[in-house]
Amino acid sequence: MFYLSNTFQEFSQDYSNLFEKDNLDLFFQKVLVERNSQLSGYYDLPFKDNQEIFDYLEHNAKFLDSITNIIVVGIGGSSLGAKAIDALLSHQNNRKKIKLHFLEHTDPIIIQKDLRRVKYEDTLFIVISKSGLTIETTSLFKYILARFCLLKSDRKHHLVAITDSNSPLHKWCQKEQIQNITISPNIGGRFSVLSAVGLLPLAILGYDIQGILQGAKQISNNFFIKREDDILKKALFLAKNETKYPINVLFSYSTVFRHFNAWYVQLWGESLGKLDTYQQKRGLTPIALIGSIDQHSFLQLIMQGPANKTVTFLNVENLSQKPLYIPDISLDGLEMTDFVNQTSFNQLLKLQCTSTKESIMLQNVPVDSIILDTLNEQSVGALIFYYELLTSCVGILLQIDTYNQPGVEFGKKILREKFTHS
Amino acid sequence: MFYLSNTFQEFSQDYSNLFEKDNLDLFFQKVLVERNSQLSGYYDLPFKDNQEIFDYLEHNAKFLDSITNIIVVGIGGSSLGAKAIDALLSHQNNRKKIKLHFLEHTDPIIIQKDLRRVKYEDTLFIVISKSGLTIETTSLFKYILARFCLLKSDRKHHLVAITDSNSPLHKWCQKEQIQNITISPNIGGRFSVLSAVGLLPLAILGYDIQGILQGAKQISNNFFIKREDDILKKALFLAKNETKYPINVLFSYSTVFRHFNAWYVQLWGESLGKLDTYQQKRGLTPIALIGSIDQHSFLQLIMQGPANKTVTFLNVENLSQKPLYIPDISLDGLEMTDFVNQTSFNQLLKLQCTSTKESIMLQNVPVDSIILDTLNEQSVGALIFYYELLTSCVGILLQIDTYNQPGVEFGKKILREKFTHS
């Protein structure tokens, strides 16, 4: 089955030494060692049975049939994954008519707006936090507990938590008899979308989560069993050129990728921006764009600005929607634009993607493409796991810990001090 | 009146030579020469009377009172500015309950979604294009002309065009007797928000456009009359460090800045990414973030990734909304998070901004701050003009043409060829 066509060779003209079989084999062994070390548990997620999720769905079937809102309280890795996948698949018929909100901003304007029309009676609240100690999540969680009185015994079933096993939040749930699903502590937020963190809300929305995992499994098997080496090569190219091309642009052609873009930025930025074994600052800077709209915003800089960027184009070959055509109208004086008349907007978008790609390649900017044959659970699962594996591979080459985020702790400490001293 | 507090000195410890009076004077003269050259007309926009806009509002007063939708057909500079300002001011009481849509994506999924509930009877369509030859805009324009039969004589008042004087679109409007407002051809898209391009939709929405211009005028006068030198110094710092710090991060604390961020990215990227007088690739790469949410996404990379970024913090001192408080609840085992109890969410957001800023400064990342005292027409106009002036100043130092975008033409040419040859 074909999900991803990664035309990576476009990157790689002069890298034959780097791509020698021995070098690739050695690199592959390092990935295998990392996987087996259980430094991160995400490698195994495509192969889990997720019985806890299916049990929850079964035990709460009647209640879940009655809800019209899901409110996820969670930030960063606890929200970006499910949001990305829902946006990519929301055109599907199996998507139930449930509104999905994410309460993640401590911005009061947004909190008010998001909760304006929400009644607890038809709402499931999902609180997601590895520890329960994330300040935004816990503050928002307290707010909804108070606002909707969710600890009354007849309302507790409106609440479910997803958290690390034995975390403070997990213990609180057990004490308060709140339903919960635990995840393994070695699955970090930004690598957690294929665990209950992403899969539980997606399953309740009606998506085929087994299909998502199947797509991910395919990518895993291509890499670990079939030993396909496109991800290894791309990682080698990117890490080797860390200084020459410090910026990696993902140029996604369709607005449905907007939240996937945000997920990519977090995965890439927070995983790879690290001190390495030698305490050197390493990393690659992600930028994510939407085509064709950002052709009118960022393309000029790619074309004629500093040659410090690689660009990955991401688009969909076949959209399932009914095509929409540009009418065959000629306007006096504007005939120059008639060459696209009677084209479908989707065809126009695809050709804009190709044309932009070609124009960038003519500037010798390193370019590659990811083409999804269509948008469905399998292709989206594949895309997610492709990017997770790629991130791990680059991290190994940079000699960093891909899965921690020590740099964000400093600001949290300063915040706490401001409160303690004021 | 105080709108912007730019704590630029934080950037500038070791730049006393660069900031000597003679050097600043020379630089100021160059800006003055560019302004007087009329290379771009945006410098004068705060001082225009905009009689054409007020005439249009007066002649169409009854009709404009009846509409509930505005659909702007325009892309890039024709949409980003009005969208940014509306998002920053939409909490105000003078904002009429008119839905504002932007038809800019050729993505069929979005077109269908945006137009689903739109009826021509209660809608004003504003088509914005300097020439009328932008392929996305014209294709979408033809689509709405056909879908809503807007050229029927009794429907033409539902349409107004904003375009360059004597452009093909202008001539078409005259021939078809479509109302239109022209802008001067020397006002480029991304510098056009303070012309009719931004002001007409904003005025119809009920905003005080004179107030917006007043804020802009204040910044202009601070620069050109009072000779305040903070923008000159910041531009000198950024241009001088083009290679050392090729990436400029704008970290905006509140989701109301989301569209302003997109406007900034276009302004900075498309203006500054250019071949200079010596045909060298120049430019600075913009990245825009939203706090606190992107503390959980991008902050790690700023803290421990390569030292190739400057960061500008943007926040609002006083939000006019009623405060929303974190409840005084203590959850068993989660007491560590109680230190923020009874704080307002807005106060938390402000302290998160300060804490993050301090943590970044400790890593020796160059940081500055823009603080708006409050969000209103004046402060937003000031913010817009501040960024436009800063962009011009950096462009002068890079010895580029800040106002053109030759790099985006190549892809358009390839697109046209694909159609002609197929």
Side-chain angles (χ1 to χ4, degrees):
Chain A
M1 220 163 152
F2 162 74
Y3 307 124
L4 288 161
S5 144
N6 191 283
T7 57
F8 169 64
Q9 47 281 18
E10 291 160 22
F11 264 120
S12 62
Q13 290 116 348
D14 304 315
Y15 289 81
S16 45
N17 287 342
L18 198 62
F19 296 162
E20 270 177 10
K21 192 174 175 310
D22 286 358
N23 199 31
L24 291 176
D25 283 350
L26 187 69
F27 182 18
F28 176 78
Q29 290 306 322
K30 285 186 188 165
V31 182
L32 210 56
V33 167
E34 178 177 289
R35 176 183 173 167
N36 293 336
S37 75
Q38 291 292 312
L39 176 65
S40 172
Y42 94 86
Y43 287 105
D44 301 328
L45 290 176
F47 304 93
K48 298 280 183 193
D49 67 6
N50 290 293
Q51 199 52 49
E52 275 193 285
I53 295 178
F54 293 109
D55 288 347
Y56 174 84
L57 295 177
E58 200 185 318
H59 294 151
N60 295 274
K62 206 175 146 195
F63 165 66
L64 293 174
D65 263 349
S66 76
I67 62 167
T68 55
N69 286 302
I70 294 176
I71 297 199
V72 174
V73 185
I75 195 167
S78 300
S79 70
L80 289 165
K83 201 189 286 183
I85 293 181
D86 183 42
L88 290 170
L89 298 179
S90 66
H91 62 282
Q92 294 195 159
N93 292 330
N94 57 357
R95 168 64 159 91
K96 291 184 188 162
K97 299 218 177 309
I98 296 175
K99 280 197 186 133
L100 178 64
H101 310 258
F102 291 87
L103 212 55
E104 50 189 341
H105 288 281
T106 48
D107 187 333
I109 299 177
I110 298 299
I111 300 171
Q112 294 283 33
K113 207 169 158 185
D114 280 354
L115 295 179
R116 204 166 34 196
R117 294 213 181 88
V118 168
K119 292 183 190 130
Y120 87 88
E121 290 90 337
D122 43 26
T123 302
L124 171 69
F125 298 87
I126 308 180
V127 56
I128 307 180
S129 176
K130 284 178 68 63
S131 61
L133 301 176
T134 308
I135 202 69
E136 290 92 339
T137 303
T138 312
S139 301
L140 289 164
F141 184 48
K142 288 176 182 173
Y143 183 76
I144 60 141
L145 284 182
R147 176 158 170 165
F148 300 105
C149 307
L150 294 179
L151 293 181
K152 285 190 181 176
S153 60
D154 62 335
R155 297 191 185 179
K156 284 187 177 176
H157 63 288
H158 288 270
L159 190 57
V160 59
I162 303 172
T163 184
D164 279 1
S165 46
N166 296 317
S167 70
L169 179 58
H170 185 207
K171 288 176 187 160
W172 178 83
C173 288
Q174 289 174 316
K175 200 176 154 219
E176 293 282 348
Q177 298 186 294
I178 301 294
Q179 294 184 88
N180 61 81
I181 297 180
T182 57
I183 55 170
S184 168
N186 71 348
I187 293 170
R190 59 189 177 276
F191 283 88
S192 70
V193 55
L194 300 180
S195 75
V197 170
L199 298 181
L200 180 71
L202 292 168
I204 299 172
L205 291 173
Y207 294 117
D208 169 21
I209 60 172
Q210 304 283 33
I212 296 172
L213 294 177
Q214 207 187 327
K217 207 183 296 180
Q218 176 101 13
I219 295 293
S220 175
N221 290 342
N222 288 351
F223 186 91
F224 287 107
I225 297 174
K226 291 196 192 162
R227 298 283 304 271
E228 289 181 5
D229 56 14
D230 54 330
I231 292 179
L232 293 174
K233 284 180 176 171
K234 185 164 170 175
L236 278 164
F237 180 88
L238 293 173
K240 171 95 181 168
N241 288 297
E242 180 192 6
T243 318
K244 188 173 178 190
Y245 303 121
I247 301 171
N248 307 124
V249 177
L250 175 64
F251 211 148
S252 306
Y253 269 71
S254 172
T255 43
V256 297
F257 288 109
R258 191 165 295 288
H259 296 299
F260 178 80
N261 278 2
W263 177 86
Y264 155 75
V265 166
Q266 189 210 23
L267 180 72
W268 204 246
E270 200 169 63
S271 298
L272 300 180
K274 296 281 163 66
L275 299 180
D276 67 10
T277 316
Y278 311 103
Q279 298 296 302
Q280 296 297 309
K281 292 183 160 200
R282 308 293 296 269
L284 289 160
T285 295
I287 286 184
L289 306 175
I290 294 289
S292 70
I293 198 163
D294 287 327
Q295 293 179 198
H296 298 264
S297 156
F298 205 91
L299 177 58
Q300 169 66 35
L301 178 65
I302 296 173
M303 291 291 288
Q304 301 197 315
N308 57 6
K309 300 175 183 73
T310 65
V311 183
T312 299
F313 283 88
L314 170 59
N315 73 331
V316 184
E317 186 60 27
N318 303 299
L319 283 181
S320 52
Q321 283 78 358
K322 218 180 85 196
L324 204 67
Y325 292 94
I326 300 165
D328 192 16
I329 299 179
S330 191
L331 305 177
D332 248 17
L334 304 176
E335 297 86 355
M336 262 185 74
T337 64
D338 290 352
F339 69 99
V340 297
N341 283 5
Q342 302 190 69
T343 309
S344 74
F345 279 102
N346 193 43
Q347 178 67 7
L348 175 60
L349 194 63
K350 272 163 64 179
L351 289 173
Q352 286 182 306
C353 179
T354 323
S355 305
T356 302
K357 181 179 154 183
E358 289 174 17
S359 76
I360 289 177
M361 287 171 72
L362 288 173
Q363 299 296 314
N364 295 315
V365 174
V367 164
D368 76 330
S369 287
I370 299 171
I371 300 169
L372 302 180
D373 59 348
T374 184
L375 284 175
N376 59 24
E377 279 91 345
Q378 285 77 5
S379 67
V380 168
L383 180 66
I384 292 278
F385 205 73
Y386 169 87
Y387 263 102
E388 291 180 338
L389 261 184
L390 181 65
T391 305
S392 293
C393 289
V394 176
I396 289 168
L397 293 170
L398 298 185
Q399 305 201 52
I400 56 168
D401 181 341
T402 306
Y403 309 101
N404 66 359
Q405 53 280 334
V408 300
E409 298 305 320
F410 301 107
K412 289 184 191 172
K413 200 163 155 261
I414 295 172
L415 180 70
R416 182 178 293 270
E417 282 165 9
K418 284 192 194 303
F419 276 94
T420 323
H421 296 158
S422 65
Chain B
M1 221 165 152
F2 164 75
Y3 307 123
L4 288 160
S5 145
N6 190 280
T7 58
F8 170 64
Q9 48 280 18
E10 291 160 21
F11 264 119
S12 62
Q13 289 117 350
D14 303 315
Y15 288 82
S16 44
N17 288 342
L18 199 61
F19 295 163
E20 272 178 6
K21 191 174 176 310
D22 285 357
N23 198 31
L24 292 176
D25 283 350
L26 186 69
F27 183 17
F28 177 77
Q29 290 305 325
K30 285 186 189 166
V31 183
L32 210 56
V33 167
E34 178 177 289
R35 177 182 173 169
N36 293 335
S37 75
Q38 292 291 314
L39 177 65
S40 171
Y42 93 87
Y43 286 105
D44 302 326
L45 291 176
F47 305 93
K48 298 279 184 194
D49 67 6
N50 290 293
Q51 199 51 50
E52 274 193 286
I53 295 178
F54 293 109
D55 288 346
Y56 174 85
L57 295 178
E58 200 186 318
H59 293 150
N60 295 274
K62 204 175 147 193
F63 165 66
L64 294 174
D65 263 349
S66 76
I67 61 167
T68 55
N69 286 301
I70 294 176
I71 297 199
V72 174
V73 185
I75 194 166
S78 300
S79 70
L80 289 165
K83 201 190 286 181
I85 293 182
D86 184 42
L88 290 170
L89 298 179
S90 66
H91 63 281
Q92 294 194 158
N93 292 331
N94 58 357
R95 169 65 159 91
K96 292 183 186 161
K97 299 217 177 311
I98 295 174
K99 281 196 186 133
L100 178 64
H101 311 257
F102 291 87
L103 212 57
E104 50 189 341
H105 288 282
T106 48
D107 186 335
I109 298 177
I110 297 298
I111 300 171
Q112 294 283 32
K113 209 168 158 185
D114 280 354
L115 294 180
R116 203 166 33 195
R117 293 213 183 90
V118 169
K119 290 183 192 134
Y120 87 89
E121 290 90 336
D122 43 26
T123 302
L124 171 69
F125 298 88
I126 307 180
V127 56
I128 307 180
S129 177
K130 283 178 69 62
S131 62
L133 301 175
T134 309
I135 201 69
E136 290 93 339
T137 302
T138 312
S139 300
L140 290 164
F141 184 48
K142 288 176 183 174
Y143 182 76
I144 60 140
L145 283 182
R147 176 157 170 166
F148 300 105
C149 306
L150 295 180
L151 293 181
K152 284 191 183 176
S153 60
D154 61 334
R155 297 192 185 179
K156 284 186 177 177
H157 63 290
H158 288 269
L159 190 58
V160 58
I162 302 173
T163 184
D164 279 1
S165 46
N166 296 316
S167 70
L169 179 58
H170 185 208
K171 288 175 188 160
W172 178 83
C173 288
Q174 289 174 315
K175 199 175 156 217
E176 294 283 349
Q177 298 185 294
I178 301 294
Q179 294 184 87
N180 61 82
I181 296 181
T182 56
I183 54 170
S184 168
N186 71 347
I187 294 169
R190 60 190 176 275
F191 284 88
S192 70
V193 56
L194 301 181
S195 76
V197 169
L199 297 182
L200 180 71
L202 292 168
I204 299 171
L205 290 173
Y207 295 118
D208 169 21
I209 60 173
Q210 303 283 32
I212 296 172
L213 294 177
Q214 207 186 329
K217 207 183 295 179
Q218 176 102 13
I219 295 292
S220 175
N221 290 342
N222 289 350
F223 186 91
F224 286 107
I225 297 175
K226 292 195 192 160
R227 298 284 304 270
E228 289 181 6
D229 56 15
D230 55 329
I231 292 179
L232 293 174
K233 284 180 176 172
K234 185 164 170 176
L236 279 165
F237 180 89
L238 293 173
K240 171 96 180 170
N241 288 298
E242 180 191 4
T243 318
K244 188 172 178 192
Y245 303 121
I247 301 172
N248 306 123
V249 177
L250 176 63
F251 211 148
S252 307
Y253 270 71
S254 171
T255 44
V256 297
F257 288 109
R258 190 166 296 286
H259 296 299
F260 178 80
N261 278 3
W263 177 85
Y264 155 75
V265 166
Q266 188 210 25
L267 180 72
W268 203 247
E270 200 168 65
S271 297
L272 300 179
K274 297 281 164 66
L275 299 180
D276 67 10
T277 315
Y278 310 103
Q279 298 296 303
Q280 296 297 309
K281 292 183 162 201
R282 307 295 294 272
L284 290 160
T285 295
I287 285 184
L289 307 174
I290 294 289
S292 69
I293 198 161
D294 286 328
Q295 293 179 199
H296 299 263
S297 157
F298 205 91
L299 177 58
Q300 169 66 36
L301 178 64
I302 296 173
M303 291 291 289
Q304 301 195 315
N308 57 6
K309 298 175 185 72
T310 65
V311 183
T312 299
F313 284 88
L314 171 59
N315 75 329
V316 184
E317 186 59 27
N318 302 298
L319 282 181
S320 52
Q321 282 79 359
K322 220 179 83 196
L324 206 66
Y325 292 94
I326 299 165
D328 192 16
I329 299 179
S330 191
L331 306 177
D332 249 15
L334 303 176
E335 295 86 354
M336 261 184 74
T337 64
D338 291 351
F339 70 98
V340 296
N341 283 7
Q342 303 190 66
T343 309
S344 74
F345 279 103
N346 193 44
Q347 177 67 6
L348 174 60
L349 194 63
K350 272 162 64 179
L351 289 173
Q352 285 182 306
C353 179
T354 322
S355 305
T356 302
K357 182 178 154 183
E358 290 174 15
S359 75
I360 289 177
M361 286 172 74
L362 288 173
Q363 299 297 313
N364 295 317
V365 174
V367 164
D368 75 331
S369 287
I370 299 171
I371 301 170
L372 303 180
D373 58 349
T374 184
L375 284 175
N376 59 25
E377 280 91 346
Q378 284 78 4
S379 68
V380 168
L383 179 66
I384 292 278
F385 205 72
Y386 169 88
Y387 263 103
E388 291 180 339
L389 261 184
L390 180 66
T391 305
S392 292
C393 289
V394 176
I396 288 167
L397 293 170
L398 298 184
Q399 305 200 51
I400 57 169
D401 181 343
T402 306
Y403 310 101
N404 66 0
Q405 54 281 332
V408 302
E409 298 304 319
F410 300 108
K412 290 184 189 172
K413 199 164 157 257
I414 295 172
L415 180 71
R416 182 179 292 271
E417 282 165 10
K418 283 194 194 304
F419 276 92
T420 323
H421 296 158
S422 66

